[in-house]
Amino acid sequence: MAEQYSSFSRGGTGWLLQRITAAFLIVVLAFHFFQLHFVNHAADVTFAGTQARMENVGYFLTMVLFLIAGAFHGLNGVYNALVNQGLEGTQKKVVLAVLSLAGIALIAQGIWVAVAMAGWT
Amino acid sequence: MSTQQEQPQEPESQEAPEDPEMRGTESPQQERLKEKEQGLAQEEAVDESDLEGETVHLKVFRYDPEVEGKQEPRFDDFYVPFEKGMTVLDAVMYARDEFDSSLTFRHSCRQAVCGSDAFFVNGKQQLGCKTQISELKQPVRIEPLPHQEVVKDLVVDMDHFYDQMHAVEPYFQQEELPDGDLEEQRQSRENREKVKMSTRCIWCAACMSSCNIAAGDNEYLGPAAINKAYRFAMDEREDEEIKEHRLRIVEQEHGVWRCQTQFSCTEVCPKDIPLTEHIQELKREAVKKNLKFW
Amino acid sequence: MSQSYNRGLIEDFGRWKEFSAGMWAWIFHKFTGWMLIGYLFTHIAVLSTAIGAAAGDPAAIQQETDVYTTTIQGLESLFIIRVLEVGLLAVAVFHILNGLRLLMVDLGIGLSAQDKSFYASLVLTGIITIASVPTFMDGVTI
Amino acid sequence: MYEHDVIVVGAGGAGLRAAIAAHEAGADTAIVSKLHPVRSHTGAAEGGINAALREGDDWELHAYDTMKGSDYLADAPAAETLAQDAPEETIQLEHWGMPFSREDDGRVSQRPFGGLSFPRTTYAGAETGHHLLHVMYEQVVKRGIQVYDEWYVMNLVTDDAADPNDRECHGVVAYDVQSGNVEGFKANGGVILATGGPGQAFDHTTNAVSCTGDGHAMAYRAGAPLEDMEFIQFHPTSLPSTGVLISEGVRGEGGILYNAKGERFMFEYGYANNSGELASRDVVARAELTEVNEGRGVNDEYVHLDMRHLGEERILDRLENILHLAEDFEGVDGLVEPMPVKPGQHYAMGGIDVDENGQTCINGLYAAGESACVSVHGGNRLGGNALPELIVFGKRAGRHAAGDDLGTAEIETGYGPDVEDETETELPVQPGSAGLDTAGGVAADGSGVATETDGLIERAVEAERTRVDHLMDKDDGVQHAQIRAKLQKAMTDYVNVFRTDEGIRKALRVIRECREEYQDVYVDDPSRTFNTDLQQTYETRNLIDVAETIALGALVRNEFRGAHWRQENQERDDENWLKHTLISWEDGDPNIFYRPVILEGEKTYEPKVRSY
Ligand SMILES: Cc1cc2nc3c(=O)[nH]c(=O)nc-3n(C[C@H](O)[C@H](O)[C@H](O)COP(=O)(O)OP(=O)(O)OC[C@H]3O[C@@H](n4cnc5c(N)ncnc54)[C@H](O)[C@@H]3O)c2cc1C
Ligand code: HEM
Ligand code: SF4
Ligand code: F3S
Ligand code: FES
């Protein structure tokens, strides 16, 4: 009974991270909505405006974290939902792989976009 | 029904019960259930006196793999004379004894302790013997528990449920016992109070039947088995190591993480066990245990 | 149990009329979650025009004629997009509120009020959505 | 055919304890039960387990209380064994994790109970039986003991020896309820019957629908006598529609019984001018029934138990659960209206005649629990004495069947030199077999001498298959439910708390009719799958046999002792009746005889007036 001292077991980590990202998302998502619909109207968004925001390193990092958290939270949520519906074996592995790839792609693309917005290219 | 104790205090004693457990103790759980109960009663109750001398219309699910005409499931109608205090179980027993002796269902104690007669009554998992006909809308639709295979009429296959119950090592495992003749292990009142609700499970499977997750994932331990694990994991008489072992069982793939806090298990449990609460507590315990060694 | 009768899918969702609060919450949360992740992908796709804009003519950016600006403003000028945005807000608000509810449940707080908090999430979502309609619909013509 | 060393029939407290003991003694053990173990009626027990655990108490006091409570019809060695072993067995349950209620210092709680000289009833909330049953089942799971659940045991397999004392039990015949297959179970060591009470012989009982006295009837027909069957405990306050118990606590708190005319009959009609509602159980039960019989019952059926005057606050504080019981099972709100109550059959003191090792006179056949009569309870069981009986004697039977040496038993079983034949009472009808229904063991088939065990079992299996085919193939006739209802009604009308010579004779006549009608019984449900119709038809046959022994015992015992009251002789008659009533089947021809009570064990128990 003495092995397995360090790491989380799979289910537990995913569950905990889902909650932690959720807690984080509440804050940033609310901020995001306010920023882009109430403070600045979405209709008035221009590249220059976007760039002005993105150039701020703090904002940039927040948005990247927002993206990572959102992607993880969303895709992990989807994965769990599928697993809960009884996904098994290879199917499950395939779904996990596809979702992970999609997530990585999404994040990579997102970071690229953000970098472009900040004008650091 | 909001009580910490279904049973009469004790049939035997000549005196009034002394200990608080024998009386009603108020708990949030109880209050919640009381409200639930009242809500239900207002919604559905038919004034009992209106039913006096009337018949109750039952629609009962019928299926038998062997009998022609019953292989394709159907609903049969029964009209049973109403009597004051009649329960769903009384009604189906009447229908069986008077109209159709092949009507099949499990039942035994008639007092909500044997857990044999959980049915799907008007769309909710309930114990037949604990459900008053007068509180139900008519016609009363009675079906076998959903999510379990039907063996015949209202009888479902319970094997899977039993397997899940057995999967959590549902037995006390403390090896080291107090020395000396007739020495019991000590347990604080608080600790017994903590596990009390969890020990009241009668294995009726209503909870498991109501859980969508259990329906989707056959290997999911299900609320009753997790509650059983809780009963031991939280019992201070077992050593810390055994508790860890137990947590490891429930935090497996198909264990506590599967629970999506749907609460339907808690809502249908005839013994008012706060199942969701217990499951959530185990999730936190499991996370805590894992964090400890990080 | 080869003999026994399995009632199939009807078990799961054929009985939606009989679902209780916790189950509806679960279904809505799922639904909104999927919408949100779907939106996240689209959102990044749309924003990807920024790459083109950044690589393009800086003058266009000045005149607000770069792809990014035109795409977004073009989209925003569509009534349907505004409606969808309100929908997105509703979805997000519900998911957030119910997400909060779920986080509380995870912490073992207020379990006995779980149905009430679900209804509260619904009502609040409604209020917030309606309240934000003017802002969202600002400056769009049908 | 299945084969094991020890086969335990029944999975209530007694059966599970027996199986664990046999397993621990090294025997390959299997449990065969018509219900899944956790469905057994032991789960309904509430009050607690009597055991002398604490300073100031000792087993001798417990034994003394038990003997006194039994109205001196218990056998001293039995009562002493119970009292001596109960503490260890109770602590064993604790060590298995049973969630007993606790004191501040963390030790198990005990409470006072009627008839006990020390508060020695160990309890787990108001659901002691539930916990006992589940804890024991958990231990069975832990040990991996084989359980054949939802297998209905139809009969015992014994050989042909003419004298039951020479007979041997080799196994049982059972059918798998789910599939309908009839199979043989061979027991190399022994068969232990732990099938619980026969409460369904009455139409109003606190017992479960499954308490049909199957073990009683099977042992009886195999040749083991039934002992003291006339002693049935009735509880005065059970709900009319279901039989669910309303605790004595209501009366303890000041609840009042009223008849239909609104009279407080306990005083008004002088049943108990001093203690009124708080008079002892049998007195109250008889009073209620008298009211009903004399036309002052509500709906000609029950009386009212009123607690409204206690006030909502007090009721909620002390008796809240009663409100829920009345609401859940009777649809009555105890705060607004009085609760209907009537006497209900509660417990059978008698049972299969066994010694302290659980053995019957038939070799290899054991019985334990409520189906057995060691006899610990004699004429009246004390509250909290049945659960310790399950674990103490369940364990002994299990060990003995597995071959452990428990020493020679002091209690005799079967028809032997110490018995006295019944000669005086003339019976109104010929009891016993009504023709077709004679099959006891294979013996009674008269199908020649079989020596080889497997052959014996095969033939017994065949006999049951034939019986099933017969019942299923028959297209019309009488349905068991009709017969059962008639039997139950007769027993409740005539062999209830209130017994008269004439009434019992009427009951015997009805029982005879039931037997004759049973010849024409058939099973309507054509399916082999989960055919409860078939199972209940079997059970009804057992009920007829058991009911008959109850009525016969009640008829011959013309005295008032313990729970058995006779109008003709309302006194305890120690001169003539310090003896057990035994009835044996004798190939379909019931024979009644008596065996003296053993009042001398390690101590001597002088009959005294039973007053508290
Ligand atoms: C409401 C109530 C309250 C009580 N309270 C107390 C109390 O507080 N204290 C106390 O000491 N006693 C109490 N008693 C009495 C006590 O509970 C019972 O006497 C005791 O539980 C009987 O246990 P058992 O193991 O003999 O039988 P049961 O628990 O009835 O088990 C019988 C078993 O036999 C099986 N079976 C029967 N027939 C067959 C067959 N043909 N084939 C296969 N299997 C079969 C059944 O499936 C079941 O598993 C109470 C009784 C009642 C009814
Ligand atoms: C703003 C704050 C948010 C909170 C508080 C929140 C909360 C939660 C929680 C607690 C869960 C887990 C439900 C469970 O396992 O029982 C969840 C699931 C999910 N979330 Fe979020 N979430 C938020 C934002 C988002 C965003 C932005 C997305 C999309 C990118 C998203 C997509 C999902 C998805 C797809 C699921 C899985 C749903 C399912 O079970 O099918 N969430 N959310
Ligand atoms: S937890 Fe409740 S609903 Fe589930 S099996 Fe146990 S008693 Fe039944
Ligand atoms: S219904 Fe199922 S999802 Fe969890 S809260 Fe109960 S186990
Ligand atoms: S019959 Fe036992 S729980 Fe309903």
Side-chain angles (χ1 to χ4, degrees):
Chain A
M1 246 183 241
E3 13 64 62
Q4 211 202 8
Y5 269 113
S6 60
S7 74
F8 271 121
S9 70
R10 242 297 302 166
T13 334
W15 184 81
L16 186 60
L17 285 176
Q18 185 78 358
R19 321 282 124 174
I20 291 171
T21 49
F24 175 71
L25 284 171
I26 297 177
V27 184
V28 252
L29 192 64
F31 166 73
H32 183 70
F33 258 104
F34 254 95
Q35 186 74 12
L36 290 163
H37 289 280
F38 295 89
V39 180
N40 310 297
H41 281 238
D44 308 330
V45 165
T46 62
F47 188 79
T50 305
Q51 190 159 40
R53 280 190 292 273
M54 267 306 167
E55 272 168 355
N56 181 322
V57 180
Y59 184 80
F60 175 85
L61 286 179
T62 311
M63 284 305 113
V64 170
L65 262 182
F66 181 23
L67 173 65
I68 296 175
F72 174 83
H73 180 92
L75 293 169
N76 186 49
V78 167
Y79 177 65
N80 278 331
L82 292 174
V83 170
N84 281 335
Q85 284 313 302
L87 210 56
E88 293 281 340
T90 8
Q91 255 189 328
K92 190 169 135 185
K93 285 201 188 97
V94 170
V95 167
L96 179 61
V98 169
L99 288 178
S100 309
L101 283 178
I104 290 166
L106 184 70
I107 291 169
Q109 174 77 8
I111 291 176
W112 186 18
V113 169
V115 168
M117 284 174 171
W120 296 333
T121 35
Chain B
M1 321 284 119
S2 60
T3 168
Q4 303 274 331
Q5 51 273 97
E6 296 307 323
Q7 323 313 335
Q9 289 132 336
E10 22 78 359
E12 329 285 1
S13 149
Q14 306 283 337
E15 32 264 293
E18 291 294 316
D19 82 294
E21 263 183 274
M22 308 296 277
R23 306 190 205 133
T25 32
E26 282 298 320
S27 71
Q29 166 77 3
Q30 246 181 306
E31 277 163 29
R32 180 180 70 73
L33 286 153
K34 213 178 273 170
E35 280 159 23
K36 185 175 89 181
E37 200 40 48
Q38 280 160 2
L40 189 95
Q42 277 158 17
E43 238 173 69
E44 306 199 14
V46 182
D47 188 5
E48 184 133 15
S49 48
D50 291 353
L51 279 171
E52 215 93 52
E54 297 281 312
T55 56
V56 183
H57 180 187
L58 309 178
K59 279 183 119 42
V60 186
F61 179 95
R62 306 300 302 270
Y63 164 78
D64 189 319
E66 267 183 68
V67 176
E68 224 171 304
K70 271 178 88 182
Q71 277 152 339
E72 204 33 60
R74 58 163 203 246
F75 280 90
D76 279 358
D77 295 283
F78 295 102
Y79 296 87
V80 172
F82 178 79
E83 266 175 49
K84 198 168 156 57
M86 186 174 233
T87 62
V88 169
L89 180 66
D90 293 335
V92 284
M93 281 171 76
Y94 188 94
R96 179 197 61 197
D97 290 345
E98 301 294 326
F99 305 132
D100 181 355
S101 66
S102 70
L103 179 58
T104 306
F105 46 90
R106 290 193 182 93
H107 65 302
S108 183
C109 69
R110 306 163 302 145
Q111 46 184 281
V113 294
C114 75
S116 337
D117 64 338
F119 305 138
F120 198 56
V121 183
N122 278 2
K124 192 178 169 212
Q125 288 80 359
Q126 320 201 46
L127 287 185
C129 61
K130 209 189 159 201
T131 308
Q132 288 287 318
I133 287 278
S134 58
E135 284 178 10
L136 299 171
K137 271 207 202 95
Q138 291 211 37
V140 179
R141 200 179 77 221
I142 307 170
E143 296 168 74
L145 286 183
H147 305 151
Q148 270 141 306
E149 285 181 45
V150 183
V151 175
K152 175 176 170 184
D153 295 351
L154 301 176
V155 176
V156 293
D157 186 359
M158 294 286 284
D159 285 350
H160 179 61
F161 177 79
Y162 295 145
D163 287 347
Q164 302 305 75
M165 293 302 272
H166 292 169
V168 296
E169 302 187 4
Y171 35 80
F172 200 67
Q173 302 200 20
Q174 182 63 13
E175 296 297 330
E176 223 170 282
L177 294 167
D179 298 330
D181 266 0
L182 304 185
E183 262 308 312
E184 64 257 50
Q185 305 164 87
R186 301 301 168 100
Q187 181 183 28
S188 67
R189 278 180 189 245
E190 296 71 46
N191 187 252
R192 160 154 155 106
E193 204 54 31
K194 184 168 178 59
V195 296
K196 184 173 97 188
M197 291 307 282
S198 66
T199 60
R200 300 178 64 200
C201 174
I202 54 173
W203 297 46
C204 69
C207 52
M208 180 97 146
S209 163
S210 78
C211 176
N212 268 324
I213 303 300
D217 174 8
N218 224 17
E219 280 173 70
Y220 173 42
L221 288 175
I226 295 175
N227 174 68
K228 191 81 179 165
Y230 176 96
R231 179 254 168 280
F232 290 107
M234 296 299 164
D235 193 317
E236 67 185 10
R237 288 175 292 172
E238 277 190 346
D239 285 346
E240 204 49 38
E241 284 144 61
I242 304 168
K243 175 171 178 179
E244 264 179 44
H245 173 64
R246 293 197 179 281
L247 287 175
R248 220 160 284 148
I249 295 172
V250 294
E251 65 168 352
Q252 53 162 309
E253 267 253 39
H254 299 278
V256 285
W257 312 118
R258 279 284 180 280
C259 167
Q260 305 287 301
T261 58
Q262 285 188 12
F263 284 95
S264 38
C265 53
T266 307
E267 267 158 30
V268 300
C269 177
K271 289 287 159 184
D272 301 342
I273 303 172
L275 292 161
T276 315
E277 194 175 321
H278 290 169
I279 299 172
Q280 293 300 82
E281 194 171 341
L282 281 180
K283 285 180 186 168
R284 293 196 299 275
E285 286 290 314
V287 167
K288 260 195 261 168
K289 180 202 82 177
N290 289 330
L291 278 176
K292 244 193 323 212
F293 304 102
W294 223 5
Chain C
M1 297 296 106
S2 54
Q3 264 193 331
S4 55
Y5 172 67
N6 186 340
R7 288 163 296 172
L9 245 195
I10 185 157
E11 297 302 323
D12 292 340
F13 298 102
R15 299 196 176 281
W16 57 271
K17 275 193 240 156
E18 279 136 12
F19 284 5
S20 55
M23 271 176 168
W24 282 120
W26 176 71
I27 288 178
F28 285 178
H29 198 80
K30 213 178 243 293
F31 177 72
T32 54
W34 285 68
M35 299 275 281
L36 287 175
I37 186 70
Y39 174 71
L40 183 59
F41 275 89
T42 349
H43 194 44
I44 295 293
V46 172
L47 295 183
S48 292
T49 51
I51 299 169
D57 182 3
I61 296 173
Q62 284 302 311
Q63 293 153 22
E64 304 190 349
T65 53
D66 59 284
V67 256
Y68 178 77
T69 311
T70 47
T71 312
I72 291 193
Q73 293 193 341
L75 284 172
E76 287 295 328
S77 66
L78 296 175
F79 179 72
I80 180 71
I81 290 291
R82 297 296 184 98
V83 173
L84 284 176
E85 264 179 8
V86 175
L88 178 70
L89 178 82
V91 162
V93 171
F94 175 80
H95 194 87
I96 293 179
L97 293 176
N98 192 58
L100 268 169
R101 167 179 167 273
L102 289 175
L103 289 176
M104 302 301 264
V105 167
D106 288 330
L107 294 172
I109 302 168
L111 289 179
S112 49
Q114 61 91 12
D115 44 352
K116 289 198 199 79
S117 57
F118 167 64
Y119 299 132
S121 308
L122 279 180
V123 171
L124 265 177
T125 305
I127 293 173
I128 293 177
T129 312
I130 291 169
S132 63
V133 167
T135 326
F136 273 79
M137 291 302 178
D138 191 26
V140 70
T141 42
I142 303 174
Chain D
M1 185 160 69
Y2 301 91
E3 185 173 342
H4 296 277
D5 294 341
V6 174
I7 287 181
V8 181
V9 181
L16 294 171
R17 189 65 191 88
I20 294 168
H23 180 84
E24 281 181 343
D28 164 20
T29 307
I31 298 172
V32 187
S33 175
K34 67 180 176 185
L35 302 173
H36 183 276
V38 301
R39 320 273 174 230
S40 302
H41 203 54
T42 295
E46 293 135 7
I49 308 169
N50 295 341
L53 293 173
R54 296 280 176 261
E55 200 107 340
D57 195 6
D58 67 38
W59 72 261
E60 290 172 15
L61 287 173
H62 186 186
Y64 175 81
D65 291 342
T66 304
M67 290 300 291
K68 181 175 164 193
S70 81
D71 228 355
Y72 301 95
L73 198 72
D75 285 325
E80 289 178 349
T81 307
L82 177 90
Q84 283 165 335
D85 291 3
E88 186 192 327
E89 284 307 308
T90 307
I91 294 300
Q92 175 70 80
L93 289 173
E94 199 284 333
H95 287 176
W96 283 339
M98 181 153 161
F100 283 110
S101 295
R102 299 283 167 165
E103 292 303 310
D104 286 334
D105 63 0
R107 306 182 74 180
V108 296
S109 301
Q110 295 197 305
R111 65 171 157 226
F113 239 35
L116 299 185
S117 53
F118 189 91
R120 72 169 74 88
T121 306
T122 324
Y123 62 99
E127 47 218 11
T128 313
H130 164 79
H131 293 308
L132 179 135
L133 181 68
H134 282 255
V135 159
M136 218 109 74
Y137 178 60
E138 286 160 16
Q139 291 301 313
V140 164
V141 173
K142 181 176 184 183
R143 289 166 172 73
I145 296 171
Q146 169 107 44
V147 180
Y148 299 89
D149 72 297
E150 296 191 337
W151 277 79
Y152 180 82
V153 175
M154 315 164 97
N155 218 342
L156 301 170
V157 183
T158 57
D159 58 36
D160 276 1
D163 182 350
N165 295 328
D166 299 332
R167 251 174 237 168
E168 187 158 359
C169 179
H170 297 285
V172 303
V173 184
Y175 94 98
D176 179 0
V177 180
Q178 184 135 339
S179 73
N181 289 337
V182 180
E183 300 287 349
F185 286 76
K186 182 172 165 185
N188 298 319
V191 171
I192 302 173
L193 294 171
T195 51
Q200 287 293 321
F202 294 81
D203 73 0
H204 193 74
T205 170
T206 63
N207 284 13
V209 176
S210 64
C211 295
T212 50
D214 295 346
H216 292 81
M218 290 189 288
Y220 178 50
R221 289 193 302 260
L226 298 184
E227 179 175 352
D228 293 338
M229 291 300 285
E230 63 273 28
F231 292 98
I232 300 281
Q233 187 168 72
F234 295 89
H235 200 287
T237 54
S238 63
L239 295 174
S241 64
T242 48
V244 168
L245 266 177
I246 291 299
S247 161
E248 246 154 50
V250 177
R251 282 172 290 142
E253 289 291 330
I256 297 177
L257 291 166
Y258 293 106
N259 62 17
K261 292 161 77 182
E263 296 164 318
R264 190 172 179 180
F265 58 85
M266 289 307 294
F267 290 105
E268 208 80 23
Y269 292 88
Y271 297 108
N273 285 325
N274 295 324
S275 31
E277 282 82 10
L278 287 171
S280 88
R281 267 186 202 177
D282 46 339
V283 174
V284 180
R286 277 193 296 275
E288 290 175 2
L289 217 71
T290 311
E291 289 302 298
V292 175
N293 288 348
E294 293 182 0
R296 294 189 297 271
V298 187
N299 292 340
D300 274 337
E301 196 197 352
Y302 48 82
V303 296
H304 276 141
L305 175 58
D306 197 347
M307 59 177 187
R308 291 174 295 181
H309 58 285
L310 301 178
E312 179 161 349
E313 197 180 323
R314 178 140 162 227
I315 295 175
L316 281 175
D317 182 37
R318 310 246 176 121
L319 299 166
E320 194 200 333
N321 56 335
I322 300 298
L323 289 178
H324 298 299
L325 288 169
E327 184 68 47
D328 288 353
F329 298 110
E330 199 69 49
V332 165
D333 183 348
L335 288 175
V336 186
E337 40 191 338
M339 299 174 290
V341 292
K342 67 180 202 180
Q345 191 278 353
H346 185 51
Y347 184 86
M349 269 71 75
I352 304 164
D353 174 34
V354 296
D355 61 25
E356 348 39 313
N357 299 334
Q359 240 198 328
T360 66
C361 65
I362 297 175
N363 229 328
L365 182 63
Y366 298 79
E370 194 173 335
S371 64
C373 178
V374 186
S375 119
V376 171
H377 311 301
N380 177 47
R381 173 182 71 104
L382 288 184
N385 253 357
L387 295 180
E389 181 194 10
L390 305 184
I391 49 181
V392 167
F393 293 100
K395 177 178 178 183
R396 293 179 72 90
R399 288 183 56 195
H400 198 273
D404 273 7
D405 183 9
L406 299 178
T408 327
E410 286 170 56
I411 295 169
E412 298 285 330
T413 53
Y415 191 94
D418 56 340
V419 308
E420 165 202 336
D421 283 307
E422 156 66 35
T423 46
E424 281 168 24
T425 318
E426 227 176 278
L427 303 181
V429 283
Q430 169 63 34
S433 146
L436 193 132
D437 197 42
T438 55
V442 173
D445 275 353
S447 39
V449 183
T451 43
E452 228 244 303
T453 312
D454 288 6
L456 272 177
I457 295 175
E458 276 314 315
R459 271 200 295 144
V461 169
E462 266 328 302
E464 294 307 323
R465 287 196 180 131
T466 315
R467 184 193 294 277
V468 172
D469 289 343
H470 166 78
L471 291 171
M472 306 261 304
D473 291 346
K474 201 162 147 47
D475 290 329
D476 61 62
V478 195
Q479 295 212 342
H480 81 84
Q482 256 173 291
I483 306 177
R484 189 184 283 204
K486 183 169 167 178
L487 180 81
Q488 290 173 333
K489 182 163 185 324
M491 291 300 284
T492 305
D493 286 351
Y494 304 123
V495 200
N496 213 327
V497 275
F498 208 60
R499 296 170 175 178
T500 65
D501 183 78
E502 197 196 327
I504 302 167
R505 286 173 191 277
K506 277 191 195 150
L508 278 166
R509 274 186 217 109
V510 178
I511 293 169
R512 187 70 203 169
E513 281 168 33
C514 290
R515 250 189 215 291
E516 274 153 18
E517 281 170 29
Y518 193 87
Q519 303 306 308
D520 194 29
V521 81
Y522 82 114
V523 174
D524 195 32
D525 186 351
S527 173
R528 297 265 165 178
T529 306
F530 225 98
N531 193 330
T532 46
D533 193 3
L534 174 64
Q535 181 180 329
Q536 290 183 316
T537 303
Y538 260 83
E539 290 170 350
T540 299
R541 161 174 173 246
N542 295 333
L543 282 173
I544 296 174
D545 285 344
V546 174
E548 189 172 73
T549 60
I550 297 172
L552 283 173
L555 182 66
V556 294
R557 187 176 288 273
N558 188 10
E559 66 156 346
F560 170 28
R561 179 183 303 273
H564 173 70
W565 183 92
R566 276 288 298 268
Q567 192 188 38
E568 293 78 16
N569 189 354
Q570 305 182 16
E571 301 276 310
R572 188 172 85 188
D573 179 359
D574 286 340
E575 201 149 318
N576 296 309
W577 286 104
L578 273 176
K579 58 192 183 189
H580 299 290
T581 321
L582 291 124
I583 306 179
S584 69
W585 178 247
E586 312 266 314
D587 289 344
D589 187 12
N591 180 26
I592 306 171
F593 55 94
Y594 304 103
R595 188 189 306 125
V597 178
I598 309 175
L599 293 176
E600 203 137 327
E602 285 178 40
K603 303 268 160 214
T604 305
Y605 305 86
E606 271 304 319
K608 294 201 185 89
V609 180
R610 190 170 63 108
S611 66
Y612 293 105

